[in-house]
Amino acid sequence: MCRIRFFIIVLVMVFSGCSNRENVPSSEEGLVSLYDIDAADAGLEDPTQTWHVTDERVCIVYGYGYNDDEFVKSMNSELFSLYGSCFDGGLIYPLVFPGDFKRGTKHYISVLYDYIVSKKLKGLVILGAPEGTCTAIGRLQDFYNGHIPYPIFSFFSQDDVLGMEYSSDFVLDKAQKAEINGIVANEKSQDFVEDVPDMLKASVKCILNSDAPFEKNARLFEVVKKIAGTEKTGRYSDPETGLFSINHFVME
């Protein structure tokens, strides 16, 4: 009897083992082949996303001197890799003048107001502001009852000097380009500043570390010098009165 019972147990174990082997999935049923291990490990080395989806935006306006396709594409690529594109839920919201500001057959910088008034902006950076930019920003100031809640940085403006000083947290220009009337007459005379990519990235970083506009006082110069990096900067003086502006600076 014991031998019969032992024989039955052995048979059960044998058939059970065969059944388990038959239920083990093969590589064709979803298991990773040993030959694919290197490829699987390589996937772990892919770069991770360095930004988080957000409804906040930092608007970059590419104006005169900084609006050619090659520069805009290169600069956007760098900024998107760091902070993401607004088109994918990231921070950077790029606008190019005049291309993005066409209405009918003409281009109007005043359209800037329409683009950003409904956006949750962290800040606005303008390169080569065309004439009339300060008017568009003035409409924003009216919308916010005189106090725009985010920083506005202006580089190499070709708009009215006093208007941009009033509209922006700070204005940074090249010293030799300003005419007596405060407007750079020839946009083609603007020489490209090699440090602009670093300055632009520093500006975005500065804005993201700020929860409000920058106060226009003596300490503002320290902020500008950090953004300007290796560029030597000084205070702008009015060509007629010789008076220095509290928030206007020049690269010497």
Side-chain angles (χ1 to χ4, degrees):
M1 177 65 71
C2 291
R3 290 183 177 179
I4 295 174
R5 183 177 300 172
F6 175 78
F7 181 73
I8 293 174
I9 292 174
V10 171
L11 288 176
V12 170
M13 292 177 64
V14 170
F15 284 110
S16 176
C18 292
S19 177
N20 286 339
R21 290 193 192 97
E22 291 174 355
N23 291 331
V24 173
S26 67
S27 60
E28 296 177 354
E29 295 174 332
L31 290 184
V32 178
S33 168
L34 291 178
Y35 296 103
D36 296 329
I37 288 179
D38 289 341
D41 288 343
L44 299 176
E45 299 174 0
D46 291 342
T48 57
Q49 183 169 300
T50 57
W51 52 272
H52 301 285
V53 174
T54 177
D55 60 347
E56 295 180 325
R57 303 286 182 260
V58 176
C59 181
I60 312 293
V61 177
Y62 297 97
Y64 292 134
Y66 300 89
N67 54 3
D68 67 274
D69 291 341
E70 184 177 351
F71 173 74
V72 171
K73 183 177 180 180
S74 174
M75 195 70 251
N76 280 345
S77 178
E78 287 192 61
L79 292 174
F80 290 169
S81 67
L82 292 170
Y83 304 108
S85 164
C86 66
F87 308 110
D88 296 318
L91 276 163
I92 304 302
Y93 177 40
L95 294 171
V96 182
F97 185 88
D100 291 330
F101 294 82
K102 187 175 182 179
R103 291 295 181 269
T105 58
K106 296 184 178 180
H107 303 86
Y108 303 92
I109 188 60
S110 59
V111 178
L112 177 64
Y113 172 86
D114 301 315
Y115 276 131
I116 65 179
V117 67
S118 61
K119 298 288 190 302
K120 186 178 179 181
L121 287 195
K122 286 285 290 181
L124 171 64
V125 182
I126 307 171
L127 296 173
E131 188 174 358
T133 301
C134 60
T135 302
I137 297 176
R139 290 185 63 194
L140 279 174
Q141 289 173 324
D142 292 340
F143 177 82
Y144 287 109
N145 297 316
H147 300 284
I148 297 176
Y150 49 79
I152 298 177
F153 299 166
S154 175
F155 296 91
F156 321 122
S157 171
Q158 297 192 36
D159 198 7
D160 175 72
V161 170
L162 293 179
M164 286 308 298
E165 288 177 355
Y166 179 75
S167 303
S168 310
D169 290 42
F170 73 77
V171 179
L172 180 61
D173 284 325
K174 287 170 283 189
Q176 73 275 18
K177 298 302 180 182
E179 303 291 347
I180 294 178
N181 62 1
I183 300 176
V184 177
N186 183 6
E187 65 202 45
K188 293 183 180 179
S189 69
Q190 289 278 52
D191 296 323
F192 184 87
V193 176
E194 296 296 331
D195 286 344
V196 161
D198 290 335
M199 292 165 63
L200 190 50
K201 286 182 285 187
S203 295
V204 174
K205 185 176 181 180
C206 181
I207 285 171
L208 294 180
N209 289 331
S210 174
D211 295 324
F214 288 83
E215 187 176 355
K216 296 176 182 178
N217 57 30
R219 297 183 62 185
L220 186 58
F221 192 17
E222 297 303 316
V223 175
V224 174
K225 285 192 289 186
K226 288 182 179 179
I227 290 175
T230 60
E231 296 285 349
K232 185 179 180 181
T233 57
R235 292 190 178 278
Y236 171 86
S237 62
D238 185 271
E240 295 182 353
T241 65
L243 297 176
F244 288 94
S245 171
I246 193 66
N247 73 325
H248 193 167
F249 309 91
V250 292
M251 288 165 39
E252 300 174 346

